[in-house]
Amino acid sequence: MTGIFHSIYSHGFIRAAVCIPNVRVADPVYNAEHTLGLARRASELNAAVALFPEMGLSAYSNDDLFHQDALLDATIVAVGKVVEESKTLTPVLLVGAPLRFEGKLFNCAVVIYRGAILGIVPKSYLPNYREFYEKRQFAAAREAVAREVTLLGQRVPFGSDIVFQASNVRDFAIHVEICEDVWTPVPPSTFGALAGATVLANLSASNITIGKAEYRRDLCASQSGRCVAAYLYSAAGPGESTTDLAWDGHALIYENNELLAESTRFSADEQIIAADIDLERLAQDRMRLSSFHDTVGDYREKLREIRQVEFAFQIPEGEIGLLRSVERFPFVPNDPAVRDERCFEAYNIQVHGLMKRLASTGLQKIVIGVSGGLDSTHALIVAARTMDRLGLPRKNILAFTMPGFATSDITLKNARALMESLGTTAHEIDIKPSCLQMLRDLGHPFIGGEPVYDITFENVQAGERTSHLFRLANFHDGFVLGTGDLSELALGWCTYGVGDHMSHYNVNASVPKTLIQHLLRWVIGSQQFDAATSDTLQSILDTEISPELVPHDADNKDKPAQSTEQKIGPYELQDFNIYYVTRYGFRPSKVAFLSLHAWSDKTHGDWPAGFDLSKRSEYDLSTIKKWLGIFLYKFFKTSQFKRSCIPNGPKVGSGGSLSPRGDWRAPSDSEANVWMDELAANVPDTN
């Protein structure tokens, strides 16, 4: 990280603006004034790039007036006005104008920055069908002979084969195309992206007809996704001629298939929308996508012809907060409809994975330990639904609750109730006698009455439970279903080998703790099971997360004595860290910046529907930094050996799996210094 922690420009973001000015047909003076008015607003927003509509300085709908010298000359004067005024403005301006070169008229995008014309991009594909007849007035980019032209005394690059690259801002590179270009089978921006452009911009006029807006969204979304890029789109708005057409002023900003901002269509007023583009996120995805680079190789010769025009971008100073929404729960969408769909998918991925594993083994019985906690609860209901789908009785689920020295009354009650309501074959095994024997064999001071609750004391209990489950599976001709989740695996919060680390198959292996909580809420809300089961699930959701391995000092067994989150941090923060560190490889300071934006104010932003008001938390920067530091040390330094040998389990979310056979391959003996040092150096201790 360089610069100020509280500025987006220190964390790999740039701000993009898309502008829809009022225009008058064949009035470049008026149009330049309104273009500059929105350009100033974009500058006040600290935008790095501002996009305007196709031929916005002359208006698009001039028809044969484009053959009039007076209009063309006035348009050049308007371009000059914008160039002059741009000297004091922050963003790169992308404005549209009809310009004559080589005796031909081109529909152009003029790229302007700080008083200089960086280049001119002519339209590649001229529509000449239905209401369009641009070939009547214009020549296409392929008809140009020169690769440089002179405009307003400046000799500048000319062509559709240009990427405008900021020399001092990593990954800030712009490619420009015009309207119809993106409607073609192979848009010019595809090659721009393959040549390194991360910001693809489209100056469009695009009259509106019924259903066309949705098609525009699809085009921009898919182009941004295929190219792993941002896509900015600006369509003509108020003031264009309505002789035969109408205009809706549609502005869009997408990033890798995700809509970040959209204008109000059919507005009578001019508009500006803005969004923050995560250039580092785009670069990270491109770096990982081997198929993207294979495509670069296939078009190597064409891409070598694309020109790189460099400019030094003056980064806005001071604190510049993030505009975009950052979800508190990146594994769980806020939108109820999307959330329910994702929960349905996650749940059924787990069920189908377990169905296949049962079929492959030829076994019909599952052995599972049920603690009354979140993870085993979710694994148990997945097992129940799996039996239903296979047409097998739920009695084939051999469910064992195994109370130990620290088992609370509430978790034992919930475990018993859940096993009964789901119709499993329920058993209860008191592991204390076998644990005492092990402790006696070890010569542990607990046997002598000393309250020594060390790691050995804890792991003896965890190991006894798992040892019982494996031998029970042997005895009953079944297999052990694992319950540990992604969050625990990332933090190393599992007992290695003969403990909750091991099973024959683990349906929760790539499901983080916060997603399990939301999956249980979804199971309750969608009435996947009967009312008694739902009541128990709610009680489990309301219970403190605990390993229940250390007893209360005063024999208070009403609730768990230990709090997992007091040891390793709030799971809602740690799951946030897991997502951005493993999915995108972000440096710690950027993760902290995003986390502060998401978690600093519980009254700001959306929460998942149905999230209990009393459980809504907020965290200051020092707290975020503390728990992020613990995560980094545990994840990179101490826990990988546990992930290197985990059981099979299905990948569920795009946030990733930590399986060594899947998304994550890492050495078990790496250091954490580079992450810890970056966190210490670049994240202040207070807000």
Side-chain angles (χ1 to χ4, degrees), residues 633-649:
Y633 185 81
K634 287 181 173 292
F635 184 79
F636 289 107
K637 175 68 175 175
T638 66
S639 304
Q640 179 58 37
F641 77 100
K642 296 182 180 180
R643 298 188 286 269
S644 294
C645 56
I646 61 172
N648 293 177

Side-chain angles (χ1 to χ4, degrees), residues 270-288:
E270 54 190 13
Q271 296 185 72
I272 182 170
I273 62 170
D276 294 338
I277 307 300
D278 193 342
L279 299 177
E280 287 184 342
R281 179 175 174 176
L282 297 172
Q284 272 278 349
D285 271 349
R286 285 186 179 181
M287 181 176 67
R288 296 162 190 249

Side-chain angles (χ1 to χ4, degrees), residues 217-502:
R217 295 185 189 99
D218 290 343
L219 277 175
C220 296
S222 62
Q223 186 66 355
S224 72
R226 283 196 305 270
C227 294
V228 194
Y231 200 90
L232 319 181
Y233 182 88
S234 177
E240 290 285 356
S241 172
T242 57
T243 299
D244 290 303
L245 303 173
W247 318 86
D248 62 339
H250 202 184
L252 297 162
I253 301 177
Y254 279 88
E255 178 187 293
N256 200 6
N257 198 46
E258 179 184 353
L259 178 63
L260 299 184
E262 183 174 10
S263 66
T264 301
R265 296 170 54 231
F266 299 107
S267 173
D269 301 317
E270 54 190 13
Q271 296 185 72
I272 182 170
I273 62 170
D276 294 338
I277 307 300
D278 193 342
L279 299 177
E280 287 184 342
R281 179 175 174 176
L282 297 172
Q284 272 278 349
D285 271 349
R286 285 186 179 181
M287 181 176 67
R288 296 162 190 249
L289 294 174
S290 57
S291 54
F292 187 92
H293 301 292
D294 288 343
T295 309
V296 171
D298 287 345
Y299 292 96
R300 184 180 295 109
E301 294 308 315
K302 182 175 179 64
L303 298 178
R304 283 173 175 167
E305 296 175 359
I306 291 181
R307 291 169 284 172
Q308 303 283 333
V309 174
E310 288 195 350
F311 65 99
F313 179 68
Q314 295 183 32
I315 299 172
E317 298 178 351
E319 296 187 1
I320 301 172
L322 190 63
L323 283 182
R324 68 192 285 159
S325 172
V326 177
E327 293 191 357
R328 294 175 174 87
F329 302 96
F331 293 99
V332 185
N334 286 330
D335 185 304
V338 178
R339 181 204 60 196
D340 288 350
E341 180 183 358
R342 298 281 175 84
C343 287
F344 170 82
E345 288 179 335
Y347 186 53
N348 280 282
I349 288 169
Q350 293 175 284
V351 168
H352 275 251
L354 186 52
M355 288 171 63
K356 173 62 177 177
R357 185 48 55 101
L358 278 168
S360 297
T361 61
L363 301 173
Q364 295 188 344
K365 293 180 181 178
I366 292 171
V367 174
I368 182 173
V370 182
S371 68
L374 288 168
D375 296 341
S376 64
T377 293
H378 184 62
L380 181 59
I381 63 176
V382 168
R385 185 59 72 218
T386 300
M387 291 299 178
D388 296 345
R389 294 290 299 273
L390 290 173
L392 295 172
R394 292 186 186 174
K395 289 293 183 182
N396 284 21
I397 302 172
L398 310 183
F400 294 84
T401 188
M402 292 176 279
F405 299 114
T407 301
S408 66
D409 292 341
I410 184 63
T411 55
L412 184 58
K413 174 185 175 183
N414 285 336
R416 290 168 175 167
L418 189 65
M419 293 187 296
E420 180 181 353
S421 65
L422 288 175
T424 69
T425 300
H427 298 273
E428 188 168 321
I429 298 175
D430 183 355
I431 63 166
K432 291 191 290 293
S434 55
C435 288
L436 287 170
Q437 182 60 52
M438 174 67 77
L439 292 168
R440 188 174 296 111
D441 293 342
L442 295 173
H444 194 278
F446 180 76
I447 296 300
E450 296 182 42
V452 177
Y453 307 129
D454 56 8
I455 191 68
T456 303
F457 179 83
E458 294 190 29
N459 282 351
V460 162
Q461 296 171 79
E464 282 299 326
R465 289 187 173 112
T466 305
S467 181
H468 273 78
L469 292 174
F470 272 95
R471 302 297 74 80
L472 287 163
N474 295 154
F475 186 66
H476 292 287
D477 197 24
F479 72 81
V480 177
L481 185 63
T483 62
D485 63 47
L486 179 73
S487 307
E488 294 175 341
L489 200 57
L491 291 154
W493 195 251
C494 52
T495 303
Y496 184 81
V498 185
D500 55 336
H501 172 259
M502 193 49 59

